Amino acid sequence: IMTDTQSIDNFDRIYFVGAGGIGMAALVRYFLSLGKRVAGYDRTRTKLTDELTDEGALISYEDTMDAVPDGFRDPETTLVVYTPAIPHGNVPLSFFRDRGFCIMKRSQVLGLITRGSKSLCFSGTHGKTTTSSMAAHIMHCAGPGCNAFLGGILRNYNSNLLLSATSPYTVIEADEYDRSFHTLTPHIAVVTATDPDHLDIYGTEEAYLESFAHFTELIAPGGALIK
């Protein structure tokens, strides 16, 4: 596992296992914006995967190695990003694991990207997409700008990714599924609601609430909690 954002720059190619997920799609677009070569797999073709293809990503829908482009089979040049929603037995993911590729969860990559910024992290059982999208739009229009990785398509921009070359701020939808938000270092942490959810992961309401408590403990010195 990499320890800083500079390490991502060592990879020319990024392969996404589960590329069509709304959160993954924002990272696909982010790496395309950096000039990286991007490919990936998803089970189902959708309007979003078609858009990613139009933007330059090579997306396949077959759970076979034949669908992985030859240029993405070198562990020295390819970083693999996956979502926990992908079955453990997925063929490309198994191939990458067996051959020593650098493999990271989406949340880990997002944590690395945002660690050097002032991150506004919006968590909660519900309301994350709405509040993070509103904040990103306000910051984009009101002056400071931001880099925003969102869990929904903003109608104003027809995208779930906003970019700024100069802003020190990042807006993130902080997902509690699989404890993904524990990879983040919030400057400002927002908790919209904590109604028990994802009990297949957490088991009990107590464990679910403890996960949010740990998230708030990750706030950077000088930061703030809004709930």
Side-chain angles (χ1 to χ4, degrees):
I1 296 176
M2 294 180 292
T3 57
D4 55 67
T5 53
Q6 291 301 112
S7 298
I8 293 178
D9 294 335
N10 295 335
F11 295 96
D12 299 323
R13 302 166 189 266
I14 318 292
Y15 190 92
F16 287 85
V17 185
I22 190 68
M24 291 281 273
L27 284 179
V28 170
R29 285 172 162 150
Y30 172 76
F31 283 114
L32 285 172
S33 76
L34 296 180
K36 303 286 187 182
R37 296 190 179 186
V38 179
Y41 158 83
D42 203 90
R43 183 178 62 180
T44 305
R45 180 175 179 175
T46 64
K47 180 177 182 291
L48 181 54
T49 60
D50 285 344
E51 290 174 354
L52 296 177
T53 298
D54 291 341
E55 293 167 25
L58 302 175
I59 308 295
S60 65
Y61 307 95
E62 299 175 6
D63 187 9
T64 67
M65 278 309 300
D66 290 340
V68 178
D70 290 341
F72 292 81
R73 301 190 185 195
D74 182 357
E76 296 297 321
T77 59
T78 301
L79 169 66
V80 177
V81 183
Y82 76 101
T83 169
I86 289 293
H88 187 78
N90 174 265
V91 172
L93 189 55
S94 297
F95 170 87
F96 295 131
R97 284 184 175 130
D98 292 342
R99 284 160 179 77
F101 280 72
C102 181
I103 302 174
M104 303 187 73
K105 292 182 181 180
R106 167 190 170 271
S107 58
Q108 292 172 318
V109 176
L110 193 57
L112 288 177
I113 291 172
T114 59
R115 191 167 296 163
S117 70
K118 293 184 176 180
S119 300
L120 286 69
C121 302
F122 290 77
S123 71
T125 310
H126 42 75
K128 296 186 292 293
T129 301
T130 301
T131 53
S132 58
S133 296
M134 291 171 64
H137 175 61
I138 292 169
M139 295 179 72
H140 181 75
C141 295
C146 66
N147 293 287
F149 298 82
L150 305 170
I153 302 298
L154 277 71
R155 292 182 181 179
N156 309 62
Y157 310 97
N158 194 33
S159 180
N160 57 343
L161 174 71
L162 296 182
L163 294 174
S164 170
T166 58
S167 176
Y169 297 102
T170 304
V171 175
I172 308 156
E173 181 168 333
D175 189 4
E176 78 274 16
Y177 179 77
D178 197 38
R179 297 177 173 83
S180 293
F181 59 172
H182 290 173
T183 65
L184 303 174
T185 307
H187 178 66
I188 297 176
V190 179
V191 180
T192 62
T194 54
D195 303 326
D197 196 8
H198 302 304
L199 295 185
D200 56 325
I201 299 293
Y202 289 100
T204 66
E205 178 179 355
E206 181 181 12
Y208 186 75
L209 296 177
E210 286 177 352
S211 186
F212 277 92
H214 179 63
F215 170 66
T216 65
E217 293 171 354
L218 301 175
I219 297 171
L225 169 66
I226 300 174
K227 62 177 181 176

